Amino acid sequence: MFTFIDENGCKVDLRFDDGPFEIEPKHVLVFVCYEGKWLCTINKKRGVEFPGGKVEPGETLKEAAIREVYEETAVHISDLKWFAYYVVHDKVPFCKAVFTGKVERIDDFVEEYETLGMTWLTTEELMNHPHLSFYMKDWGMKKMLQEVKHHERQW
């Protein structure tokens, strides 16, 4: 397990296994690499970040991951694989299930209320982007980017 303190002062536990979980994941985060670049969404308030969000009632984690990626970027993904478990010990603790996925198809983006669409960034561009979301700057994200390189996956 990898533990760190985020920019909000919360303890965060990051595990690279698939459970069991002390807190049921109700959020998803998705890493998608295509042609050597990472799929990111441009959140109107927070900035550039990996796509993800909350699981809706009656939805599985994988269904939520697929839906959130499409809603935020207009990218259809498939072949989701569990990657990590990200627990934020806030006043009300919450957990994110982190997946990797493959690009199936890219549609034209129609602006949603919370995002301006997508951007594709190399790892170096991602690490040095001037408009990263606060959570993209934390130690957990850096650790996940290191680990995903070792993750057995044919992008």
Side-chain angles (χ1 to χ4, degrees):
M1 180 170 2
F2 180 74
T3 300
F4 64 97
I5 303 299
D6 71 12
E7 287 194 10
N8 294 322
C10 297
K11 177 184 160 196
V12 179
D13 294 325
L14 176 61
R15 290 178 22 196
F16 297 96
D17 60 54
D18 59 1
F21 316 113
E22 66 265 14
I23 298 172
E24 181 183 353
K26 302 237 182 204
H27 299 254
V28 293
L29 185 66
V30 187
F31 283 64
V32 177
C33 191
Y34 182 68
E35 297 180 350
K37 294 188 176 188
W38 297 104
L39 173 62
C40 293
T41 186
I42 306 166
N43 185 286
K44 289 180 181 178
K45 293 179 182 175
R46 294 186 302 265
V48 174
E49 58 191 22
F50 288 124
K54 294 180 183 176
V55 178
E56 293 181 355
E59 197 173 44
T60 67
L61 291 168
K62 286 185 176 183
E63 289 168 342
I66 291 167
R67 176 187 50 77
E68 286 287 352
V69 169
Y70 185 76
E71 285 178 357
E72 294 180 357
T73 67
V75 174
H76 293 269
I77 61 169
S78 64
D79 193 25
L80 263 70
K81 293 188 180 177
W82 181 271
F83 175 61
Y85 172 69
Y86 189 98
V87 179
V88 179
H89 297 278
D90 205 345
K91 291 176 185 172
V92 176
F94 65 93
C95 175
K96 294 182 183 185
V98 185
F99 294 95
T100 63
K102 288 186 177 181
V103 172
E104 283 291 314
R105 185 174 85 240
I106 303 171
D107 290 345
D108 291 333
F109 182 76
V110 177
E111 188 174 339
E112 290 285 327
Y113 68 96
E114 63 185 32
T115 73
L116 297 172
M118 69 170 137
T119 186
W120 296 92
L121 302 170
T122 65
T123 301
E124 183 178 334
E125 291 169 334
L126 184 60
M127 298 304 286
N128 296 303
H129 199 284
H131 302 291
L132 286 180
S133 167
F134 75 92
Y135 82 80
M136 293 292 289
K137 298 176 187 176
D138 71 28
W139 286 106
M141 200 57 58
K142 291 174 181 146
K143 180 70 171 170
M144 285 191 284
L145 280 169
Q146 288 174 352
E147 291 294 322
V148 80
K149 290 178 185 177
H150 305 296
H151 194 62
E152 294 183 25
R153 175 135 199 123
Q154 294 295 325
W155 295 102

